[in-house]
Amino acid sequence: MSKEKTKMIHIQIDGKSLEVREGTSVLEAALQAGIEIPHLCYHPAFPSEGSCRMCLVEIEGRPDLELACSFPVKDGMKVSTQSEEVTKARKNMLEFLLAEHPLDCPICDKAGECKLQDYYEQYGFFESRFEEKKEKKEKKVEIGKTLLLDQERCILCTRCIRFLKEITGTRELGLFNRGVHTGVNIYEGNPVENNYSGNLVDICPVGAITDKDFRFQTRNWFLGSGPSICPLCGRGCNIDIEYHPGFPHFPVPKRVYRIGPRENHRVNGYWICDYGRYHYSYIDEDRQEQIVDNKKEKLDSWERVLDFLKERIKKLYYMNKTSRIAVLTSSWLSNEELFLIRKIFQEDLNVEKIFLTDPLPGEEDNLLLTPERSPNSKGASQMGLNFKELDLNKLAERTEVLLMFGSHITEHFATAQTQEAIGGIETKVLLNPHISDLNSLMDVVLPTCVIAEKEGTLTNVKGLVQPFSPVFEAKGHCRPEWEVLVNLAKKLALNFRYYSPFTSVKPIFKKMQKEIGFFGTKK
Amino acid sequence: MSPEYSDQTKKKVEEVISHYPKKEAALLPVLHLTQREFGKISKEEEALVADFLNIKPIQVREAVTFYSMIHQKEMGKYHIQVCRNLSCTLMGAGTLIDYLKDKLNIEPGETTPDHKFSLSTVECLGACEQAPCMMVNFDYYGHLDKKKIDQILDDLE
Ligand code: SF4
Ligand code: SF4
Ligand code: FES
Ligand code: FES
């Protein structure tokens, strides 16, 4: 970009003086200043199209109203977004947009988050003057695995078409015919088939494209939403998790209903992939919610299990035999948790057998999805943990205490194989957010939190350290691994003063920044 | 079976493409050439055009369904397009359209079984001074009445 591009100029919108970058549109300038101008076809990810005409504003010195989305700012420009003429124009545009609209909000999944509905509430309120029959179009076109298109609700803003042209380059949707017959559709039954199709539901400003996964499951206004990070690959896309706040006290069938992108231009822009969007079942399904005590030695509370573990570890420590401890970590753990593992096991206890068990790599695509299928492989590699190569024999050889985080080892070895290898180990403890085949092989299984239930930071593949905090409460008796590790460290009392300030994640993060160069250089 | 251009058309198509900085910009002239050769742009011809212009068939379909001069089905030997816009309607186009429907025994948008005639109604042909008017293929006929229509159709073989 040349220097001139960033020249700043002064304009006024509704009497408010603004300094904006030359070349921005009136609409962008307004949005940046928090002034809302109704718009349907404009989307910040694409060049403006100027097709919906909702964004008309008055510009001093111009004979007609202008499209805010396509009109560039000029020095000294005075814009009015609320004049009588402008609001009248909005009303008129809404009348055009609704002339062929089926007005089926009561049965439309988008109701409550539909821009057309919102604008009608704000500027519409007119008596229908329409006497002609409305055009009948297709109301349920399967345009993709999870996507349904209602052509009657479509306002022809072409956002969907432009997304598939500009972002995925796959062009599965087109605009056919003309005039009142114009309609969006796929070509000859070739569905929208790419790993980003779910974004079409988000960018469609009306209820024309709906998601079969979400459709009719709930009304969107019943849902709460919390910011989080998608843990399903190394990209670390910023997401919003939408859930029913009443669960489980209200008789609703589930907790999490939908995952959507949260804008972050350093990571995922406006999008997330379908893999991350539709695989949210890991948050609520097959969760390990209670402590499993296979030994039947009354290891049925967190307190007792940690005491038991402490005894076992301490004994080995005083016998100078911590080489008989093995720890299986995973990069589903946060930076802080991996840091604690390093402190406690590698530094305090001198444990050598530390392994990394990660999900098997998957296919990547050319947009966001990375081959790493865990959220913190970069963090794990920067933590200064001396991971041993994963080998069942080495892992089990002379091992007396095995501590395992997560069950990804099942992706590397058949359970029978693992069972044979670790069967002879005296103490086997698994910390896992999910129920897995390993449960029966363990002495104790401790229920832990998923990312959405805890606090911490994750380092994405690009090296960006991103904080996350709990969206909702932990299930059952689940606890975050960092808390378990701090409690264990305190019980071991090898370095009590070091761990005692760790009552939350922040002080752990601060220590990590101080001690590990990689995190120190980042904000 | 996917269609193939004759050598002559292929040459023309390639030439017209060479006039544009981007291949896809040649879409409309290429569609005309293609239609001239095959009489229609159905799925097969769309694939052919897409291939030549290095675009997706869906982009060809968008143009094909937008422009009324491009036909997805083959038209009769004579394509009659009757104007039904304001001037022509004021001058009696409605009756003439009904007359043609009866005479040819088809509805607008249809073709006679012998593939001789196709009938369409269109908006202003830009010849209001001759209203009511129609086009047969590329020829204009104005100041129409039933007798004149009989005569015009009789003269076509
Ligand atoms: S389907 Fe939605 S996004 Fe696509 S053109 Fe219609 S209204 Fe716009
Ligand atoms: S690209 Fe990765 S982080 Fe982003 S949504 Fe997909 S799986 Fe999740
Ligand atoms: S937002 Fe400006 S015309 Fe649609
Ligand atoms: S209205 Fe028929 S030619 Fe103009």
Side-chain angles (χ1 to χ4, degrees):
Chain A
M1 244 195 257
S2 68
K3 278 253 164 66
E4 282 139 273
K5 275 250 168 75
T6 57
K7 197 179 140 198
M8 300 303 277
I9 59 172
H10 297 268
I11 64 165
Q12 266 188 28
I13 302 184
D14 297 338
K16 197 168 162 187
S17 296
L18 305 171
E19 196 188 44
V20 290
R21 188 156 287 149
E22 193 174 34
T24 39
S25 67
V26 173
L27 179 59
E28 283 162 338
L31 292 176
Q32 280 160 21
I35 298 168
E36 179 63 26
I37 298 174
H39 57 279
L40 292 164
C41 67
Y42 166 81
H43 188 286
F46 322 122
S48 55
E49 174 95 343
S51 64
C52 75
R53 312 196 82 79
M54 267 313 291
C55 65
L56 289 166
V57 290
E58 209 174 308
I59 296 173
E60 208 177 271
R62 303 288 305 178
D64 287 318
L65 299 182
E66 296 287 354
L67 293 179
C69 69
S70 329
F71 207 84
V73 291
K74 275 207 210 82
D75 203 27
M77 180 184 267
K78 285 190 179 138
V79 182
S80 162
T81 75
Q82 295 296 339
S83 71
E84 205 178 309
E85 211 187 324
V86 171
T87 34
K88 207 172 105 201
R90 282 177 193 158
K91 200 170 187 155
N92 290 341
M93 283 326 301
L94 283 165
E95 192 172 2
F96 277 127
L97 288 169
L98 292 170
E100 287 294 334
H101 191 277
L103 305 178
D104 52 358
C105 310
I107 54 154
C108 176
D109 217 41
K110 194 87 169 196
E113 52 184 7
C114 168
K115 301 241 279 171
L116 189 56
Q117 195 183 35
D118 293 348
Y119 294 151
Y120 182 79
E121 294 282 312
Q122 266 180 289
Y123 303 102
F125 288 124
F126 46 78
E127 288 295 322
S128 175
R129 292 187 284 178
F130 210 65
E131 284 169 8
E132 294 79 4
K133 280 225 167 71
K134 295 196 180 194
E135 195 71 14
K136 285 264 174 287
K137 288 186 185 165
E138 291 298 322
K139 284 197 73 72
K140 224 176 155 181
V141 193
E142 272 215 35
I143 57 166
K145 239 194 348 258
T146 64
L147 306 176
L148 283 178
L149 169 70
D150 182 327
Q151 293 183 320
E152 292 186 350
R153 291 183 192 149
C154 170
I155 55 148
L156 303 172
C157 71
T158 72
R159 276 184 177 192
C160 53
I161 296 173
R162 285 178 283 153
F163 175 83
L164 296 171
K165 180 176 157 202
E166 317 245 346
I167 308 299
T168 61
T170 46
R171 287 187 187 261
E172 295 98 331
L173 288 175
L175 203 56
F176 302 115
N177 298 312
R178 67 164 157 183
V180 80
H181 306 291
T182 314
V184 170
N185 214 333
I186 48 174
Y187 181 80
E188 297 272 344
N190 291 323
V192 180
E193 232 171 25
N194 61 66
N195 192 26
Y196 294 85
S197 67
N199 294 294
L200 293 176
V201 183
D202 301 333
I203 62 167
C204 178
V206 297
I209 301 180
T210 48
D211 198 323
K212 282 194 246 172
D213 184 67
F214 181 70
R215 209 171 136 98
F216 306 144
Q217 299 298 306
T218 180
R219 277 304 195 178
N220 51 58
W221 55 82
F222 292 135
L223 299 180
S225 166
S228 193
I229 292 172
C230 173
L232 294 176
C233 91
R235 182 69 55 194
C237 289
N238 291 204
I239 54 170
D240 284 314
I241 300 179
E242 290 184 60
Y243 61 98
H244 205 300
F247 187 88
H249 312 295
F250 273 60
V252 287
K254 57 179 188 170
R255 182 161 71 164
V256 174
Y257 278 83
R258 178 163 75 168
I259 305 285
R262 183 161 50 89
E263 191 179 327
N264 185 338
H265 293 281
R266 295 172 75 186
V267 185
N268 51 307
Y270 304 95
W271 326 115
I272 54 169
C273 81
D274 287 355
Y275 180 75
R277 183 186 297 265
Y278 297 118
H279 282 85
Y280 57 84
S281 57
Y282 74 90
I283 300 177
D284 282 335
E285 282 169 32
D286 296 324
R287 285 294 302 276
Q288 185 71 49
E289 295 187 37
Q290 309 296 336
I291 296 175
V292 177
D293 172 19
N294 286 333
K295 265 204 155 168
K296 303 282 180 275
E297 284 179 12
K298 288 241 161 98
L299 296 176
D300 50 4
S301 76
W302 278 97
E303 200 58 25
R304 290 211 187 102
V305 176
L306 287 183
D307 280 334
F308 163 78
L309 207 53
K310 174 200 79 179
E311 289 307 325
R312 300 288 298 128
I313 292 173
K314 270 224 146 150
K315 198 176 113 202
L316 292 174
Y317 178 72
Y318 287 125
M319 287 160 50
N320 241 332
K321 282 184 179 159
T322 52
S323 58
R324 301 196 174 176
I325 300 173
V327 183
L328 261 67
T329 67
S330 133
S331 48
W332 268 72
L333 295 174
S334 70
N335 290 319
E336 292 77 4
E337 288 158 350
L338 289 163
F339 175 68
L340 287 168
I341 290 173
R342 173 180 153 158
K343 291 305 292 182
I344 300 169
F345 293 97
Q346 191 165 297
E347 295 182 9
D348 296 351
L349 293 168
N350 242 320
V351 170
E352 276 167 17
K353 286 196 269 191
I354 300 179
F355 302 87
L356 186 69
T357 51
D358 269 351
L360 294 175
E363 246 178 82
E364 65 183 314
D365 63 29
N366 51 10
L367 214 53
L368 297 172
L369 187 65
T370 70
E372 302 85 359
R373 290 300 151 88
S374 55
N376 202 21
S377 49
K378 181 84 179 184
S381 71
Q382 297 298 329
M383 200 53 70
L385 276 156
N386 307 321
F387 293 121
K388 293 263 169 318
E389 200 188 324
L390 191 57
D391 176 324
L392 281 180
N393 291 331
K394 259 192 234 142
L395 183 158
E397 201 186 5
R398 300 168 73 98
T399 299
E400 289 182 27
V401 173
L402 172 67
L403 202 57
M404 205 188 270
F405 292 87
S407 48
H408 300 296
I409 194 167
T410 55
E411 296 181 37
H412 299 264
F413 306 105
T415 310
Q417 225 180 331
T418 312
Q419 179 170 23
E420 203 189 304
I422 68 169
I425 300 176
E426 207 180 318
T427 306
K428 300 176 287 278
V429 176
L430 170 67
L431 292 95
N432 201 8
H434 295 104
I435 296 168
S436 79
D437 289 350
L438 299 179
N439 278 21
S440 58
L441 317 187
M442 296 288 148
D443 300 320
V444 185
V445 183
L446 297 168
T448 56
C449 294
V450 290
I451 299 291
E453 296 167 335
K454 63 183 179 183
E455 195 186 345
T457 63
L458 297 166
T459 311
N460 86 346
V461 280
K462 287 272 162 68
L464 189 72
V465 180
Q466 305 194 86
F468 60 91
S469 38
V471 175
F472 30 59
E473 275 175 24
K475 281 211 157 192
H477 291 172
C478 295
R479 288 202 185 171
E481 288 89 339
W482 67 264
E483 194 187 295
V484 180
L485 286 161
V486 170
N487 286 343
L488 180 66
K490 284 192 201 157
K491 282 186 189 291
L492 287 169
L494 297 175
N495 198 351
F496 191 84
R497 283 182 52 193
Y498 184 89
Y499 296 100
S500 59
F502 292 172
T503 50
S504 72
V505 166
K506 294 256 150 52
I508 309 176
F509 182 74
K510 286 231 174 80
K511 267 277 187 300
M512 180 174 78
Q513 277 191 309
K514 229 189 242 157
E515 293 182 29
I516 298 182
F518 175 82
F519 297 95
T521 54
K522 310 269 153 164
K523 265 126 251 134
Chain B
M1 252 272 296
S2 55
E4 266 178 50
Y5 290 126
S6 64
D7 288 345
Q8 205 191 356
T9 309
K10 191 173 162 190
K11 242 209 209 129
K12 277 193 197 148
V13 166
E14 277 163 356
E15 208 228 287
V16 83
I17 291 175
S18 74
H19 291 180
Y20 294 89
K22 268 187 177 172
K23 276 186 163 191
E24 59 181 280
L27 179 56
L28 289 183
V30 170
L31 280 176
H32 282 297
L33 288 169
T34 310
Q35 180 161 289
R36 206 165 291 167
E37 175 129 334
F38 302 104
K40 62 176 177 12
I41 309 284
S42 64
K43 192 182 174 189
E44 288 74 31
E45 288 81 22
E46 277 168 2
L48 179 70
V49 171
D51 204 34
F52 263 78
L53 298 180
N54 207 3
I55 55 180
K56 303 216 167 181
I58 192 166
Q59 292 168 266
V60 183
R61 174 78 54 94
E62 287 182 310
V64 166
T65 57
F66 184 87
Y67 290 103
S68 59
M69 288 167 88
I70 310 284
H71 311 299
Q72 290 181 283
K73 273 187 273 167
E74 198 158 355
M75 290 285 134
K77 188 169 174 201
Y78 300 106
H79 183 197
I80 303 170
Q81 306 185 67
V82 195
C83 174
R84 60 161 190 196
N85 214 303
L86 192 60
S87 310
C88 292
T89 298
L90 286 173
M91 297 300 285
T95 345
L96 295 182
I97 293 168
D98 287 342
Y99 182 66
L100 274 162
K101 286 204 292 201
D102 283 350
K103 189 174 166 75
L104 300 173
N105 200 17
I106 51 173
E107 289 293 312
E110 292 178 354
T111 301
T112 55
D114 62 357
H115 278 276
K116 191 163 178 195
F117 296 107
S118 294
L119 179 64
S120 309
T121 55
V122 294
E123 306 310 333
C124 184
L125 289 171
C128 305
E129 79 285 0
Q130 302 181 41
C133 68
M134 68 179 190
M135 279 176 83
V136 178
N137 292 347
F138 290 104
D139 298 323
Y140 271 83
Y141 297 91
H143 300 301
L144 296 173
D145 53 28
K146 290 182 186 170
K147 229 172 87 195
K148 210 156 167 195
I149 287 180
D150 285 340
Q151 205 182 352
I152 296 164
L153 296 200
D154 284 349
D155 287 350
L156 300 170
E157 54 202 73

